[in-house]
Amino acid sequence: MGRSSRFLLPAFLAAMLAACGGGGGGAVDDSAADTPPAASAGGVPQDGGSGGGASSVNNKSLAVRIDPVTDPLLDGLAIAAVADTRGMWSGPVDWPLVAIHASLLPDGRLATFGTPLANPSIQAARLFDIWDPLAGTGAGAHNTVLNATDVDSFCSSATWTTSGKLLLSGGNSTLDSVLLDVETQSTLKTPRFASERWYATVLTLADGRPVILGGGDYYYANTFENPQWYDDGLPTDVNDGVAMTPEVYDEGTGWRLLQGATSREAFGPDHNRYFYPRAWVAPDGKVFGLSSDKYWRMDPLAAGGDGGIEILGTFHAGISETELPNMGPTSSAVMFAEGRILQTGGNGYTNGANSASDVTYTHRTTSSARATVFDLGDGSVPVITDVAPMNHARQWHNVTVLADGQVLANGGTRYANYGGTDAVKVAEIWNPATDTWTEMAAAQRVRVYHNTSLLMQNGVVFTGGGGVPGPVTNLDAEFFYPPYLFERVNGEVRLAGRVSVLSVSSRQLVHGATLTMQLDSDVPVAEVAMIALGNATHSNNAGQRRLSAAFSQDDFMLEVEMPENGGKTPPGYYMVVVLDAKGVPSRGVT
């Protein structure tokens, strides 16, 4: 695909752009080609598409051409004999830094950061590594971007703004955010927060404004030990050491406190609730959250824009060596379908010890294998159901929704932050239709505290990082190939044929608009999925979500209906993925 991308906009902003000649729903993207895609004799682009049923009648080209690509991660792949049932892993590849933070960019590149290049044992994130997967995995595929603002984004959180910039908020520079312009590869510092925001969660609201939740002063990782030290009892929590009042961001005026949403139960020091609160925009536009032992909903528009918050209940009473609950900052969760969240593993409040000999960290806990689904329906009050437990207990793992709607769990450890035999290298996939976990192939590297996982455009999952501190310091990455990428023919496993998208009507749409897509094949389409680009760190990927879009098919052409509001798809970048009847996904189009 080309290097220019557009994203789903709130209707008011799209209308303004249209009035000024910018692209709105159905608008022509400025990267559009005015010639049809290159095709073989059957009308199929030379990019590995399935081509089943394609014919010369497929000669209509929409406004935005999707250029075919040669993918080094799939080209010449040595395929494992069980890849169609257990998936497969690449071998480790060198990485220039420890990938403690990872963000998928709209052009398909990957930004990772978390340590310097020269000394990967230091916790400092003042530069970004931008990796182009279409250039391979060698050193030449990486480009280093220095953060010219000198903001240290170690232990920060990331989301997208309506201007298309990546907002990195908080971290070691506890009062600061930086905007990364991925097209110019430049950085800009934003106005400061009112409260300190180390270990906070930032996500984009239904109206397009970023909101930051939780966090505190840097390296306050054990506030649960003496929570009374971090709350002076006054109506405002500013400078208490833990940030109990959310803030919203406007690109014109900066950050503003939501005074009506102050909550110790949602963002306080007890049970380390402030520590990367798990939060998602719900279908009704409110924010649903899970902060260690409590679950809640926040209305950012309540009280005339000052916000409001309601504590909905207690999820678990606390960590326990007998109950082994799936809770705390060491757990991982993902919105795998519209309004449906899978919460897995954990049973820890902090990163704990790295080994039995590490006496400086005292909070050793046994990991949980339990899993729970929070079903929000059309609102933000959940129906809570325990589902099948994972095959392996895990802390500091990642769960990632895959292109087909199933969920991958990978990495983590069975105890504290231990490596060795306690590290879980075997991946597993949860099928929400059958509520079953199936073991996948095993990775080679230990991925514990500070590891990351992201779904890429080609349907492969990037995994990297781990360590600093930890039993490992991983200057490498591995790639997991899910079973949906393979098929078995006459006993031989090979890459599955995949539908390819040749062109689309626009890359920039409003809610409720229609996206037209031209395929290389007229084989029946089973599903069209929209998947938000991931921003992962500390087992938390607040912005990632997947939903099925309504569509109709006429031979090679699809008409895809965009969701009608920002509660279902908050403004930002999404991969649109076409799945055939076998569940094989196309390459994602952003």
Side-chain angles (χ1 to χ4, degrees):
M1 61 176 288
R3 289 302 188 205
S4 179
S5 300
R6 294 293 181 263
F7 62 118
L8 194 63
L9 291 168
F12 74 89
L13 183 57
M16 290 171 60
L17 286 170
C20 297
V28 177
D29 184 274
D30 57 9
S31 65
D34 57 5
T35 55
S40 64
V44 183
Q46 303 288 348
D47 65 347
S50 65
S55 68
S56 59
V57 300
N58 188 16
N59 57 10
K60 178 181 179 182
S61 182
L62 301 171
V64 184
R65 165 179 164 167
I66 308 301
D67 292 328
V69 300
T70 299
D71 190 336
L73 291 183
L74 297 170
D75 192 33
L77 187 66
I79 299 174
V82 293
D84 61 323
T85 57
R86 297 192 66 209
M88 60 174 281
W89 288 87
S90 71
V93 298
D94 291 339
W95 213 255
L97 45 71
V98 181
I100 292 167
H101 300 262
S103 295
L104 182 65
L105 305 181
D107 58 11
R109 292 178 298 171
L110 191 71
T112 57
F113 54 100
T115 63
L117 299 180
N119 191 344
S121 64
I122 294 177
Q123 298 182 343
R126 291 185 172 89
L127 54 82
F128 311 101
D129 175 71
I130 309 297
W131 170 62
D132 185 355
L134 298 184
T137 57
H142 293 264
N143 182 43
T144 302
V145 177
L146 181 66
N147 182 358
T149 68
D150 198 35
V151 171
D152 185 354
S153 296
F154 186 85
C155 293
S156 64
S157 186
T159 194
W160 294 97
T161 66
T162 51
S163 68
K165 296 181 177 64
L166 185 64
L167 176 69
L168 308 166
S169 292
N172 279 5
S173 294
T174 56
L175 293 171
D176 293 318
S177 292
V178 62
L179 288 164
L180 174 63
D181 188 318
V182 297
E183 293 189 2
T184 64
Q185 297 196 15
S186 60
T187 55
L188 175 68
K189 192 173 181 179
T190 76
R192 308 192 93 189
F193 303 120
S195 296
E196 293 172 307
R197 301 289 181 179
W198 182 78
Y199 275 16
T201 293
V202 64
L203 69 161
T204 302
L205 295 170
D207 61 11
R209 295 178 300 162
V211 64
I212 193 160
L213 309 163
D217 200 356
Y218 68 147
Y219 298 104
Y220 279 24
N222 297 336
T223 65
F224 65 94
E225 293 178 322
N226 298 288
Q228 69 278 5
W229 293 357
Y230 303 95
D231 184 6
D232 59 15
L234 298 176
T236 176
D237 69 296
V238 175
N239 299 322
D240 281 352
V242 170
M244 289 178 267
T245 302
E247 298 181 57
V248 292
Y249 177 68
D250 182 279
E251 288 192 77
T253 59
W255 294 93
R256 179 176 62 84
L257 286 165
L258 291 177
Q259 298 282 12
T262 302
S263 175
R264 178 168 171 169
E265 286 188 281
F267 312 118
D270 314 81
H271 302 275
N272 270 13
R273 294 169 188 152
Y274 79 95
F275 188 145
Y276 283 111
R278 278 39 175 168
W280 301 266
V281 175
D284 63 1
K286 297 180 175 65
V287 176
F288 171 78
L290 181 63
S291 299
S292 200
D293 61 320
K294 299 291 184 181
Y295 60 101
W296 45 269
R297 64 175 173 180
M298 183 190 77
D299 184 353
L301 301 179
D306 277 342
I309 194 162
E310 178 184 1
I311 304 303
L312 300 175
T314 299
F315 178 42
H316 290 294
I319 63 172
S320 168
E321 284 297 302
T322 56
E323 298 296 324
L324 301 180
N326 53 318
M327 64 165 288
T330 67
S331 66
S332 188
V334 66
M335 184 176 276
F336 64 92
E338 183 178 316
R340 304 188 71 202
I341 298 157
L342 178 70
Q343 160 76 8
T344 63
N347 191 38
Y349 291 143
T350 187
N351 55 307
N354 300 322
S355 70
S357 61
D358 187 354
V359 296
T360 61
Y361 284 81
T362 60
H363 300 291
R364 297 170 169 84
T365 54
T366 302
S367 303
S368 173
R370 292 168 64 176
T372 302
V373 167
F374 291 78
D375 193 336
L376 306 181
D378 291 329
S380 51
V381 177
V383 174
I384 304 173
T385 306
D386 285 338
V387 295
M390 296 182 290
N391 292 300
H392 298 273
R394 303 173 192 260
Q395 289 186 78
W396 296 121
H397 60 298
N398 282 283
V399 288
T400 306
V401 66
L402 299 174
D404 64 355
Q406 299 189 69
V407 178
L408 172 73
N410 71 281
T413 173
R414 297 178 181 88
Y415 189 74
N417 192 41
Y418 287 14
T421 57
D422 288 302
V424 187
K425 297 180 180 179
V426 175
E428 52 189 305
I429 287 179
W430 181 65
N431 185 336
T434 60
D435 187 21
T436 55
W437 291 91
T438 303
E439 284 196 347
M440 295 287 117
Q444 295 185 35
R445 291 289 191 257
V446 172
R447 303 284 177 195
V448 285
Y449 182 57
H450 280 160
N451 79 98
T452 48
S453 295
L454 282 181
L455 177 69
M456 300 168 57
Q457 284 183 328
N458 57 7
V460 176
V461 177
F462 161 89
T463 69
V468 198
V472 292
T473 301
N474 284 332
L475 288 168
D476 54 45
E478 294 167 282
F479 300 94
F480 178 70
Y481 296 80
Y484 56 51
L485 293 174
F486 306 98
E487 62 183 357
R488 186 177 294 269
V489 178
N490 297 325
E492 179 184 0
V493 179
R494 65 186 189 186
L495 286 172
R498 305 174 75 175
V499 172
S500 293
V501 179
L502 301 184
S503 62
V504 295
S505 56
S506 177
R507 287 192 192 271
Q508 180 173 296
L509 298 113
V510 297
H511 291 108
T514 298
L515 172 69
T516 304
M517 306 180 74
Q518 177 201 21
L519 308 181
D520 73 331
S521 169
D522 61 357
V523 297
V525 170
E527 185 182 16
V528 177
M530 295 183 65
I531 306 172
L533 306 192
N535 293 294
T537 188
H538 292 76
S539 298
N540 186 32
N541 192 344
Q544 193 197 25
R545 58 175 57 211
R546 181 190 187 274
L547 77 160
S548 295
F551 72 95
S552 61
Q553 181 176 9
D554 183 9
D555 293 330
F556 304 94
M557 308 302 292
L558 294 180
E559 298 287 327
V560 184
E561 297 177 18
M562 294 294 99
E564 64 270 21
N565 62 64
K568 296 183 177 181
T569 47
Y573 291 106
Y574 292 81
M575 286 190 289
V576 181
V577 177
V578 177
L579 294 104
D580 65 19
K582 296 179 181 179
V584 180
S586 69
R587 182 179 178 86
V589 176
T590 306

